[in-house]
Amino acid sequence: MTESTIAASGEGAAQPAAVVLPLLVVAVIAAFLLSVALGPIPITLSEIGAALTGGPVDAMLRDIILDLRIPRSLMGLAVGAVLAVGGTAMQGLFRNPLADPTLIGVSGGAALAAASFIVFGASLAFIPDGLRLYAMPVAAFLGGIIVVLVIQRLAQRDGHTDIATMLLAGIAVNAVVMAGIGLLTFIGDDTQLRTINFWMLGSLGGSGWGPLSAVGPVSLLVVLACLALARVLDGMMLGEREAQTLGFNVETAKRLLIVAVAAGVGTAVAFCGVIVFVGIVAPHMVRIAIGPAHRPLLIGAALLGGILMLLADTLCRLIVAPAELPIGIVTSLLGAPFFLALLIGRSRTQSV
Amino acid sequence: MITARNIRRRIGGLEDISLEVPAGACTAIIGPNGAGKSTLLDLLAGRSRADSGAVEFGGQPIADWAPLDLARRRAFLPQSLEVAFPIRVMDLVMLGRSPYHGRVSAQEDRAAAETALRLTDAWHLRDRAYQRISGGERQRVQLARVIAQIWRPGSQDGEPRMLLLDEPTASLDPGHRLAVMRLLRDLAIAGIGVVLALHDLNDAARFADQVVLLHQGRILSEGGPADAMQAEVLTSAYGAEAEVIRAGDAAPVIVFR
């Protein structure tokens, strides 16, 4: 064996992350510009530039760019990033590439709370009109967090969180939550039923600088928190016991990850409804491209999650313009075939 | 180096075990399936707590060690070799260096991983996907990971170092099995305390300095291989008639009939 092969392999024959991550950054910028430009009213890049720099541009176009399209696209990036990072963290925690944040009940809990608010909210007369806009997101956020805490509580065994029990408890509690939502759609009137359905399918349509000021900072914090725990997630690839034997504080990391993901996904779901598959698809695709090391994986998944959300949202606005398709329909239509391919590919490699 | 005093653990069925595992020696824990070998190894490694009794490592209760300090001095090779996601062999072995993060240079980590992979005859696998190599190759790669975990070049500082292995040769061909047993003996000679659960009694007879025979959660016999592995006690432990063939100074050969 020559010295040069040793040196080359020591560095790793290729560092795919060093190539893929910059490409994803470029793609994020491209998807962002695309999503701002495309819509019922097409906008040119020079008009976007003019609106941003205070140059000469039609006042209505400026309003559309600055108050509708840009906050909406930033919202897409933030929501996509937090869903994908939440998915990455849950896959690492459950040691399963098919895991996503819905497993810990955050989406279901938020959906139940939101549906309750849609059906019973009108009778909550004590809420001042000014706060009504935020009352439903707050209810959804709290609903998500409460259900996560219930599931985590059920999975406590001798002072540690039993991940396998948590998975099973999550399935059971999610079933109860879904029954609750079913009951609410049964007792709700037609308008409420339609609102619940729309919310369950997700949309970035409610975006604006206000919601973004909540979702943006929370998403950033959650991404940073997960990045800080990237090395524990690496150790967890060997199993919880082995990660502990390597000196990692696995119990604390588990709790922090669950709380961070619940808060991040809870906030996103509260404003945008349930958006499926981004949390599974984005981390899986990035893992195939750059490998399982969590620091680059989390960054790549955040970027790709944002890209997927922007592309899906742009499609939603274009397909039935001037109306809008719920984004969950697009992410499911594109995500489900990918998910099936993943399942088939997995069973094939496992049978070998 | 590791001292266990009167340890019991209901789950795993260990009853009142007292044991002294010295540094610089190779200790083999033998016994039939379900005797409690893995449970005992876990307790000695500080990976689980005894219901009663005490385990000390380097003169200090093992639960009092800071997790990272312990991780740099004690490594454990489990029976299960599964890794959750597709990973390159070199990256897997580098996971063994996690406890050194921020303490030693990346080159030193890499050198330790390379040395460990060469010691286990797995260096040629370094760029392969772990999930695509054979079971025996995986076992050698995981062995390299745990060796890398306690590897400190030129360390003669007398700090205790311990390697605990749960059936490290279970999936290996005869050539690699002997190579790994020789490697473990050499690591013991270099001052590391080596403890392993083992099914191959002839390997235990040949390579271990101390043998502990477990049966139904109790120590049935212990001591040097010749003392601990007498025909009668082996027969009663394994439920099959054992014959111990001795020829001069060579290690005894054990045959079951």
Side-chain angles (χ1 to χ4, degrees), chain B residues 154-209:
Chain B
S155 141
Q156 301 292 334
D157 50 9
E159 280 189 353
R161 280 188 295 163
M162 201 79 204
L163 200 52
L164 302 101
L165 314 108
D166 200 349
E167 296 184 26
T169 57
S171 336
L172 301 184
D173 62 69
H176 281 111
R177 199 192 77 222
L178 281 176
V180 162
M181 290 306 298
R182 287 199 184 98
L183 168 63
L184 295 177
R185 190 186 54 190
D186 290 347
L187 290 173
I189 290 170
I192 296 173
V194 176
V195 195
L196 68 167
L198 211 53
H199 272 307
D200 191 315
L201 303 189
N202 291 311
D203 281 351
R206 200 166 148 193
F207 294 102
D209 303 295

Side-chain angles (χ1 to χ4, degrees), chain A residues 224-257:
Chain A
L224 292 177
C226 290
L227 273 175
L229 295 165
R231 293 184 51 247
V232 193
L233 285 167
D234 286 343
M236 294 272 291
M237 279 194 271
L238 299 167
E240 276 184 45
R241 302 281 311 277
E242 307 323 315
Q244 253 158 5
T245 306
L246 281 171
F248 289 115
N249 191 337
V250 175
E251 282 312 314
T252 306
K254 272 193 285 190
R255 277 187 201 141
L256 285 174
L257 282 171

Side-chain angles (χ1 to χ4, degrees), chain A residues 226-303:
Chain A
C226 290
L227 273 175
L229 295 165
R231 293 184 51 247
V232 193
L233 285 167
D234 286 343
M236 294 272 291
M237 279 194 271
L238 299 167
E240 276 184 45
R241 302 281 311 277
E242 307 323 315
Q244 253 158 5
T245 306
L246 281 171
F248 289 115
N249 191 337
V250 175
E251 282 312 314
T252 306
K254 272 193 285 190
R255 277 187 201 141
L256 285 174
L257 282 171
I258 289 166
V259 169
V261 171
V265 175
T267 311
V269 170
F271 284 99
C272 302
V274 181
I275 298 165
V276 291
F277 282 122
V278 174
I280 295 182
V281 172
H284 194 78
M285 286 173 75
V286 178
R287 195 180 290 114
I288 288 171
I290 69 174
H294 278 85
R295 190 190 296 254
L297 176 60
L298 286 162
I299 296 170
L303 295 171

Side-chain angles (χ1 to χ4, degrees), chain A residues 7-349:
Chain A
S9 61
E11 290 305 321
Q15 288 286 13
V19 179
V20 172
L21 293 186
L23 280 179
L24 283 172
V25 172
V26 173
V28 162
I29 296 168
F32 183 80
L33 291 176
L34 196 73
S35 72
V36 175
L38 293 180
I41 299 169
I43 293 170
T44 65
L45 287 183
S46 60
E47 284 166 337
I48 297 173
L52 282 173
T53 53
V57 63
D58 182 84
M60 189 192 75
L61 274 186
R62 188 204 314 278
D63 287 350
I64 291 177
I65 294 167
L66 293 183
D67 292 335
L68 294 176
R69 297 274 175 91
I70 285 182
R72 182 169 181 154
S73 295
L74 289 175
M75 188 77 152
L77 286 180
V79 168
V82 83
L83 290 176
V85 161
T88 313
M90 290 303 104
Q91 290 172 11
L93 192 64
F94 288 98
R95 306 182 69 225
N96 190 322
L98 303 180
D100 82 339
T102 56
L103 275 182
I104 57 169
V106 58
S107 315
L112 180 61
S116 307
F117 189 83
I118 290 165
V119 174
F120 302 119
S123 53
L124 301 173
F126 62 89
I127 301 173
D129 280 349
L131 292 179
R132 281 211 167 251
L133 182 63
Y134 288 97
M136 190 166 110
V138 168
F141 175 80
L142 291 178
I145 296 284
I146 288 168
V147 169
V148 172
L149 292 180
V150 166
I151 290 175
Q152 202 198 1
R153 188 84 211 141
L154 288 170
Q156 290 293 311
R157 292 273 178 285
D158 316 322
H160 76 99
T161 310
D162 187 283
I163 289 298
T165 312
M166 185 154 185
L167 185 70
L168 296 173
I171 290 169
V173 172
N174 270 326
V176 173
V177 164
M178 284 304 146
I181 295 170
L183 193 64
L184 286 167
T185 57
F186 179 72
I187 59 174
D189 61 33
D190 281 356
T191 321
Q192 291 166 344
L193 183 66
R194 203 174 152 73
T195 314
I196 292 175
N197 262 332
F198 252 82
W199 197 84
M200 295 287 290
L201 290 169
S203 170
L204 292 181
S207 302
W209 289 108
L212 183 65
S213 67
V215 175
V218 171
S219 297
L220 190 63
L221 270 178
V222 169
V223 171
L224 292 177
C226 290
L227 273 175
L229 295 165
R231 293 184 51 247
V232 193
L233 285 167
D234 286 343
M236 294 272 291
M237 279 194 271
L238 299 167
E240 276 184 45
R241 302 281 311 277
E242 307 323 315
Q244 253 158 5
T245 306
L246 281 171
F248 289 115
N249 191 337
V250 175
E251 282 312 314
T252 306
K254 272 193 285 190
R255 277 187 201 141
L256 285 174
L257 282 171
I258 289 166
V259 169
V261 171
V265 175
T267 311
V269 170
F271 284 99
C272 302
V274 181
I275 298 165
V276 291
F277 282 122
V278 174
I280 295 182
V281 172
H284 194 78
M285 286 173 75
V286 178
R287 195 180 290 114
I288 288 171
I290 69 174
H294 278 85
R295 190 190 296 254
L297 176 60
L298 286 162
I299 296 170
L303 295 171
L304 184 62
I307 294 167
L308 293 178
M309 279 298 286
L310 288 183
L311 295 182
D313 184 52
T314 307
L315 272 180
C316 292
R317 282 180 285 158
L318 289 179
I319 292 174
V320 291
E324 278 185 20
L325 216 54
I327 195 167
I329 293 177
V330 173
T331 55
S332 296
L333 268 181
L334 300 180
F338 180 85
F339 189 75
L340 283 173
L342 183 62
L343 282 174
I344 293 163
R346 237 171 95 79
S347 58
R348 193 175 294 142
T349 52

Side-chain angles (χ1 to χ4, degrees), chain B residues 117-137:
Chain B
L117 276 168
R118 288 189 187 282
L119 285 175
T120 61
D121 188 28
W123 174 242
H124 63 287
L125 301 170
R126 62 193 176 279
D127 284 324
R128 300 273 301 278
Y130 177 77
Q131 274 76 4
R132 304 216 163 182
I133 60 178
S134 78
E137 289 170 332

